PDB file of all heavy atoms in Angstrom:
ATOM      1  N   LEU A 407      83.979 180.138  55.236  1.00 93.00           N
ATOM      2  CA  LEU A 407      85.421 179.946  55.200  1.00 93.00           C
ATOM      3  C   LEU A 407      85.947 179.942  53.768  1.00 93.00           C
ATOM      4  O   LEU A 407      87.009 180.494  53.473  1.00 93.00           O
ATOM      5  CB  LEU A 407      85.790 178.632  55.890  1.00 93.00           C
ATOM      6  CG  LEU A 407      85.646 178.606  57.406  1.00 93.00           C
ATOM      7  CD1 LEU A 407      85.780 177.180  57.935  1.00 93.00           C
ATOM      8  CD2 LEU A 407      86.683 179.512  58.063  1.00 93.00           C
ATOM      9  N   GLY A 408      85.196 179.316  52.874  1.00 90.00           N
ATOM     10  CA  GLY A 408      85.640 179.208  51.493  1.00 90.00           C
ATOM     11  C   GLY A 408      85.667 180.522  50.746  1.00 90.00           C
ATOM     12  O   GLY A 408      86.426 180.690  49.791  1.00 90.00           O
ATOM     13  N   THR A 409      84.844 181.475  51.184  1.00 90.00           N
ATOM     14  CA  THR A 409      84.799 182.778  50.513  1.00 90.00           C
ATOM     15  C   THR A 409      85.595 183.848  51.265  1.00 90.00           C
ATOM     16  O   THR A 409      85.665 184.992  50.821  1.00 90.00           O
ATOM     17  CB  THR A 409      83.341 183.252  50.351  1.00 90.00           C
ATOM     18  OG1 THR A 409      82.691 183.255  51.626  1.00 90.00           O
ATOM     19  CG2 THR A 409      82.580 182.328  49.411  1.00 90.00           C
ATOM     20  N   TYR A 410      86.190 183.462  52.400  1.00 91.00           N
ATOM     21  CA  TYR A 410      87.009 184.411  53.161  1.00 91.00           C
ATOM     22  C   TYR A 410      88.276 184.741  52.379  1.00 91.00           C
ATOM     23  O   TYR A 410      88.942 183.858  51.836  1.00 91.00           O
ATOM     24  CB  TYR A 410      87.376 183.806  54.513  1.00 91.00           C
ATOM     25  CG  TYR A 410      88.394 184.608  55.292  1.00 91.00           C
ATOM     26  CD1 TYR A 410      88.028 185.757  55.964  1.00 91.00           C
ATOM     27  CD2 TYR A 410      89.723 184.190  55.366  1.00 91.00           C
ATOM     28  CE1 TYR A 410      88.962 186.495  56.689  1.00 91.00           C
ATOM     29  CE2 TYR A 410      90.667 184.917  56.093  1.00 91.00           C
ATOM     30  CZ  TYR A 410      90.277 186.064  56.749  1.00 91.00           C
ATOM     31  OH  TYR A 410      91.198 186.783  57.461  1.00 91.00           O
ATOM     32  N   ASP A 411      88.619 186.023  52.350  1.00 87.00           N
ATOM     33  CA  ASP A 411      89.798 186.462  51.615  1.00 87.00           C
ATOM     34  C   ASP A 411      90.586 187.438  52.474  1.00 87.00           C
ATOM     35  O   ASP A 411      90.137 188.545  52.739  1.00 87.00           O
ATOM     36  CB  ASP A 411      89.388 187.109  50.296  1.00 87.00           C
ATOM     37  CG  ASP A 411      90.577 187.461  49.414  1.00 87.00           C
ATOM     38  OD1 ASP A 411      91.665 186.900  49.637  1.00 87.00           O
ATOM     39  OD2 ASP A 411      90.416 188.282  48.495  1.00 87.00           O
ATOM     40  N   TRP A 412      91.746 187.008  52.932  1.00 89.00           N
ATOM     41  CA  TRP A 412      92.601 187.882  53.741  1.00 89.00           C
ATOM     42  C   TRP A 412      93.307 188.874  52.832  1.00 89.00           C
ATOM     43  O   TRP A 412      94.051 188.500  51.936  1.00 89.00           O
ATOM     44  CB  TRP A 412      93.618 187.034  54.501  1.00 89.00           C
ATOM     45  CG  TRP A 412      94.731 187.833  55.131  1.00 89.00           C
ATOM     46  CD1 TRP A 412      96.035 187.868  54.737  1.00 89.00           C
ATOM     47  CD2 TRP A 412      94.622 188.714  56.244  1.00 89.00           C
ATOM     48  NE1 TRP A 412      96.757 188.713  55.546  1.00 89.00           N
ATOM     49  CE2 TRP A 412      95.915 189.250  56.482  1.00 89.00           C
ATOM     50  CE3 TRP A 412      93.570 189.113  57.072  1.00 89.00           C
ATOM     51  CZ2 TRP A 412      96.173 190.146  57.517  1.00 89.00           C
ATOM     52  CZ3 TRP A 412      93.828 190.014  58.091  1.00 89.00           C
ATOM     53  CH2 TRP A 412      95.110 190.510  58.310  1.00 89.00           C
ATOM     54  N   ARG A 413      93.087 190.146  53.083  1.00 81.00           N
ATOM     55  CA  ARG A 413      93.659 191.195  52.239  1.00 81.00           C
ATOM     56  C   ARG A 413      94.755 191.981  52.958  1.00 81.00           C
ATOM     57  O   ARG A 413      95.176 193.029  52.486  1.00 81.00           O
ATOM     58  CB  ARG A 413      92.551 192.145  51.770  1.00 81.00           C
ATOM     59  CG  ARG A 413      91.516 191.450  50.899  1.00 81.00           C
ATOM     60  CD  ARG A 413      90.451 192.416  50.415  1.00 81.00           C
ATOM     61  NE  ARG A 413      89.462 191.754  49.576  1.00 81.00           N
ATOM     62  CZ  ARG A 413      89.603 191.557  48.279  1.00 81.00           C
ATOM     63  NH1 ARG A 413      90.701 191.962  47.668  1.00 81.00           N
ATOM     64  NH2 ARG A 413      88.650 190.955  47.603  1.00 81.00           N
ATOM     65  N   GLY A 414      95.202 191.462  54.071  1.00 85.00           N
ATOM     66  CA  GLY A 414      96.282 192.123  54.794  1.00 85.00           C
ATOM     67  C   GLY A 414      95.759 193.211  55.715  1.00 85.00           C
ATOM     68  O   GLY A 414      94.580 193.540  55.735  1.00 85.00           O
ATOM     69  N   GLY A 415      96.636 193.761  56.480  1.00 86.00           N
ATOM     70  CA  GLY A 415      96.263 194.813  57.415  1.00 86.00           C
ATOM     71  C   GLY A 415      97.343 195.009  58.453  1.00 86.00           C
ATOM     72  O   GLY A 415      98.331 194.269  58.508  1.00 86.00           O
ATOM     73  N   GLU A 416      97.172 196.023  59.298  1.00 89.00           N
ATOM     74  CA  GLU A 416      98.161 196.316  60.324  1.00 89.00           C
ATOM     75  C   GLU A 416      98.163 195.230  61.388  1.00 89.00           C
ATOM     76  O   GLU A 416      97.146 194.587  61.648  1.00 89.00           O
ATOM     77  CB  GLU A 416      97.850 197.673  60.966  1.00 89.00           C
ATOM     78  CG  GLU A 416      97.985 198.856  60.019  1.00 89.00           C
ATOM     79  CD  GLU A 416      97.749 200.179  60.729  1.00 89.00           C
ATOM     80  OE1 GLU A 416      97.546 200.146  61.965  1.00 89.00           O
ATOM     81  OE2 GLU A 416      97.765 201.216  60.055  1.00 89.00           O
ATOM     82  N   GLN A 417      99.317 195.037  62.015  1.00 93.00           N
ATOM     83  CA  GLN A 417      99.413 194.101  63.123  1.00 93.00           C
ATOM     84  C   GLN A 417      98.557 194.584  64.294  1.00 93.00           C
ATOM     85  O   GLN A 417      98.433 195.778  64.535  1.00 93.00           O
ATOM     86  CB  GLN A 417     100.854 193.976  63.596  1.00 93.00           C
ATOM     87  CG  GLN A 417     101.793 193.233  62.667  1.00 93.00           C
ATOM     88  CD  GLN A 417     103.191 193.132  63.282  1.00 93.00           C
ATOM     89  OE1 GLN A 417     103.665 194.063  63.927  1.00 93.00           O
ATOM     90  NE2 GLN A 417     103.836 191.994  63.071  1.00 93.00           N
ATOM     91  N   LEU A 418      97.973 193.636  64.998  1.00 95.00           N
ATOM     92  CA  LEU A 418      97.296 193.964  66.244  1.00 95.00           C
ATOM     93  C   LEU A 418      98.341 194.089  67.347  1.00 95.00           C
ATOM     94  O   LEU A 418      99.325 193.345  67.361  1.00 95.00           O
ATOM     95  CB  LEU A 418      96.294 192.870  66.613  1.00 95.00           C
ATOM     96  CG  LEU A 418      95.022 192.770  65.756  1.00 95.00           C
ATOM     97  CD1 LEU A 418      94.244 191.518  66.141  1.00 95.00           C
ATOM     98  CD2 LEU A 418      94.157 194.011  65.933  1.00 95.00           C
TER      99      LEU A 418
END
Side-chain angles (χ1 to χ4, degrees):
L407 288 169
T409 55
Y410 171 77
D411 186 19
W412 168 251
R413 297 182 180 275
E416 295 184 3
Q417 288 182 322
L418 289 172

